[in-house]
Amino acid sequence: MKVASHQLRCTGCAAVIPPEAAAADFRCAVCGGLYDVIYPWSSIAVRNPTPRSRATTPGNMIPDTNLPNASALRWLWQERRTSTMAVDQSGVWRFRDLLPILDNPENPVTLREGNTPLYDLPRSAKALGIDFLLAKHQGIGNPTGSFKDTGMTAALSVAAERGFDWVACASTGNTSAAMAAYAARAGLRSIVLIPEGKIAWGKLSQSMDYGAITLQLRTDFDGCVRILSELIRRLPIYLLNSVNPYRAEGQKTPAFELVEQLEGQVPEHVIVPGGNLANGAALGKGFREMCDLGLIPRVPRISVVQAQGANPLFRSMQENDGAHVTPVIADTRASAIRIGNPASFRKAVATIHSTGGWCEQASEQEIALSKAEIGAEGIGCEPASAATLAGLKKLVANGRITPEERVVLILTGHTLKDPEYTIAYHRGNLLREDELAPATLAQLSLHQTLRKPPTVLDADTDTVLRTIDAAIQTTPIHA
Ligand code: F0G
């Protein structure tokens, strides 16, 4: 199924440029805004050409003639599931008809990413009093253990096709792990800038394992971004942060997968953790394109949850309904989302507004409790991912989500990304007293039930039996 290729449209001023005209920092030359990839079938291309963009109008991309047909797409995507070709087995490139960003779409840089499981969370649903709670776990199935792989296969394939030798990113750890892996796979060199001492060990080990030049800068994530912006002006390196619009093209595909997994149904609500704020917008783009093509009848609400210590979007939504953002000095143990000046702020606001979603924040105590609850369901996730459940509790409590609404949490990273956090939690030395002080009695009792500290014993059978017995007495079934 051959479709016309793509263009880039500025999300700020709507200027449209051909892909090869993008600057190295992927910022619009007119207004500094970020780009979206648009296709002939994008609703923005078909219905909304603005006067400014008319010169190179997306409307010129022959909107109707190349429109992929919904039933043909459904059939093709199913067929590819049984193929043995890597490009078909990839949970991103299986949907390549809706991301025609490569000249040679049959040969991307792939590690068979995507194809991530959808789990139900019955105990969390029951505790919340809602009927239907699912978790799409992007940390399981993806080769480096986070949702970043879906975006990285797309953007790194573009880098390889355009002949770059070097790629680079600033990261809180997962983007760098994914970039290093895909770069190694493609035979490209990669440079990782990470904040020293502020990323989880699992992630740091990955970028070394995959052979990246790993630079730990004595600053935070936002400081790493500043240095990277300087580097790309001086060196011929391809930028792989989420300002790269091709990242979103891969990161929109879990929306396609999710609808397939729900046999064509659309949940009422999708909740993502928010850091640099690209992911919610990418998923929103995926749902929107499916809607434009007649694959689904409507787009779910998309809500974003931030850590209270790294909450510029939350503050902005409260104070000025997303009109502008004031950067914060970010501080949270959910290190993946420790970001004070999010690059995709505007895209996230647009997604929340257009889908009718919300932004919530969660404290360190609330994130830790939610992570333990997800762990106790036998699933587990990294701390940032657990912010989704913490935010959902608030959305239910304030009546924004009603019991019959179907909710999907996007769990973004594997629990083994940050084992230090989990061990500290269960040993009881993660949270400070002042962080626990605002907790309700119910929350404190749940912490008590869920904490399972390891016990060191002599190698003596009677001692072991006595300890197991004591544990059985104090552990309720299914706690
Ligand atoms: N969850 C995890 C596990 C992440 O690694 C990130 C972002 C997010 C959520 C937030 O997604 O930035 O699109 O809002 N990690 C980036 C990184 C910043 O460098 O790995 P976002």
Side-chain angles (χ1 to χ4, degrees):
M1 190 170 305
K2 187 73 188 154
V3 291
S5 90
H6 65 284
Q7 291 183 293
L8 302 180
R9 180 184 190 272
C10 174
T11 52
C13 69
V16 175
I17 60 166
E20 58 281 2
D25 64 357
F26 294 106
R27 294 271 174 187
C28 171
V30 180
C31 74
L34 299 182
Y35 290 107
D36 263 345
V37 176
I38 55 164
Y39 305 104
W41 64 81
S42 310
S43 56
I44 209 95
V46 177
R47 297 184 208 129
N48 193 24
T50 63
R52 175 173 239 144
S53 62
R54 216 159 258 159
T56 50
T57 168
N60 288 347
M61 290 165 66
I62 331 166
D64 293 326
T65 49
N66 288 321
L67 211 63
N69 167 290
S71 355
L73 285 174
R74 278 195 206 100
W75 178 86
L76 192 58
W77 295 347
Q78 279 301 326
E79 277 293 299
R80 288 180 184 152
R81 282 170 169 275
T82 54
S83 161
T84 53
M85 284 167 61
V87 68
D88 291 337
Q89 289 185 348
S90 160
V92 170
W93 298 105
R94 190 159 66 81
F95 303 104
R96 57 190 173 275
D97 317 271
L98 297 196
L99 53 151
I101 53 177
L102 299 177
D103 292 338
N104 181 3
E106 304 297 319
N107 196 23
V109 182
T110 176
L111 288 161
R112 294 172 177 75
E113 48 291 316
N115 299 311
T116 60
L118 187 63
Y119 296 119
D120 63 340
L121 296 176
R123 289 171 219 160
S124 302
K126 192 166 168 217
L128 276 162
I130 63 174
D131 303 338
F132 191 83
L133 179 57
L134 294 172
K136 177 125 178 90
H137 207 320
Q138 295 294 96
I140 296 178
N142 273 318
T144 75
S146 89
F147 73 108
K148 302 289 183 179
D149 294 329
T150 56
M152 203 50 74
T153 184
L156 199 127
S157 295
V158 172
E161 195 168 82
R162 297 198 183 158
F164 281 88
D165 293 322
W166 288 89
V167 292
C169 72
S171 178
T172 57
N174 279 325
T175 299
S176 47
M179 182 188 75
Y182 282 85
R185 201 71 190 158
L188 305 192
R189 303 294 309 275
S190 61
I191 304 167
V192 160
L193 302 190
I194 46 174
E196 204 260 321
K198 291 175 190 152
I199 77 164
W201 288 117
K203 305 175 190 180
L204 177 62
S205 72
Q206 284 179 293
S207 77
M208 296 189 286
D209 203 25
Y210 304 132
I213 296 176
T214 301
L215 306 176
Q216 297 179 272
L217 304 191
R218 290 189 201 91
T219 178
D220 54 11
F221 170 81
D222 302 294
C224 291
V225 170
R226 275 195 300 278
I227 301 289
L228 185 59
S229 314
E230 291 297 322
L231 287 187
I232 55 167
R233 268 188 225 129
R234 300 189 196 182
L235 301 171
I237 47 184
Y238 190 74
L239 178 64
L240 281 173
N241 270 56
S242 53
V243 294
N244 181 318
Y246 300 107
R247 288 266 311 274
E249 291 312 287
Q251 282 177 215
K252 76 186 181 187
T253 59
F256 308 159
E257 243 181 50
L258 177 61
V259 170
E260 275 190 351
Q261 286 167 317
L262 293 174
E263 297 181 335
Q265 295 195 38
V266 187
E268 273 68 42
H269 218 116
V270 172
I271 304 183
V272 298
N276 219 13
L277 300 179
N279 198 36
L283 292 170
K285 187 173 193 286
F287 285 115
R288 166 57 52 208
E289 288 181 4
M290 290 187 99
C291 202
D292 292 341
L293 291 167
L295 283 154
I296 54 173
R298 61 179 172 79
V299 170
R301 289 182 199 273
I302 296 182
S303 289
V304 179
V305 186
Q306 296 204 292
Q308 199 169 314
N311 63 354
L313 175 66
F314 176 79
R315 285 184 191 207
S316 157
M317 294 301 285
Q318 297 290 310
E319 288 162 16
N320 53 57
D321 197 28
H324 54 86
V325 66
T326 307
V328 303
I329 304 290
D331 186 19
T332 168
R333 292 185 190 86
S335 56
I337 51 175
R338 190 188 278 152
I339 294 174
N341 189 12
S344 293
F345 166 77
R346 294 222 164 279
K347 285 192 181 187
V349 170
T351 304
I352 290 173
H353 282 158
S354 68
T355 66
W358 291 281
C359 182
E360 266 299 346
Q361 66 172 356
S363 70
E364 295 297 295
Q365 182 272 129
E366 291 164 334
I367 292 173
L369 185 59
S370 296
K371 176 170 148 51
E373 289 175 271
I374 294 167
E377 298 252 22
I379 291 173
C381 62
E382 70 164 282
S385 310
T388 54
L389 178 59
L392 170 63
K393 291 177 191 173
K394 296 190 171 173
L395 292 171
V396 171
N398 61 26
R400 284 178 166 160
I401 291 182
T402 51
E404 69 288 352
E405 283 186 292
R406 293 162 301 178
V407 180
V408 179
L409 307 180
I410 305 294
L411 302 183
T412 42
H414 197 285
T415 186
L416 290 177
K417 287 277 189 176
D418 194 354
E420 277 195 318
Y421 180 105
T422 312
I423 292 170
Y425 174 80
H426 288 282
R427 286 201 169 130
N429 46 28
L430 182 78
L431 298 168
R432 295 188 311 264
E433 268 178 29
D434 61 298
E435 289 171 322
L436 275 168
T440 62
L441 283 178
Q443 286 172 328
L444 289 174
S445 132
L446 199 49
H447 278 299
Q448 199 68 37
T449 311
L450 292 170
R451 256 187 212 136
K452 302 281 180 246
T455 312
V456 180
L457 298 175
D458 286 333
D460 167 68
T461 309
D462 284 341
T463 314
V464 172
L465 280 172
R466 263 199 312 281
T467 310
I468 293 173
D469 203 38
I472 290 171
Q473 304 304 321
T474 55
T475 307
I477 290 170
H478 288 318

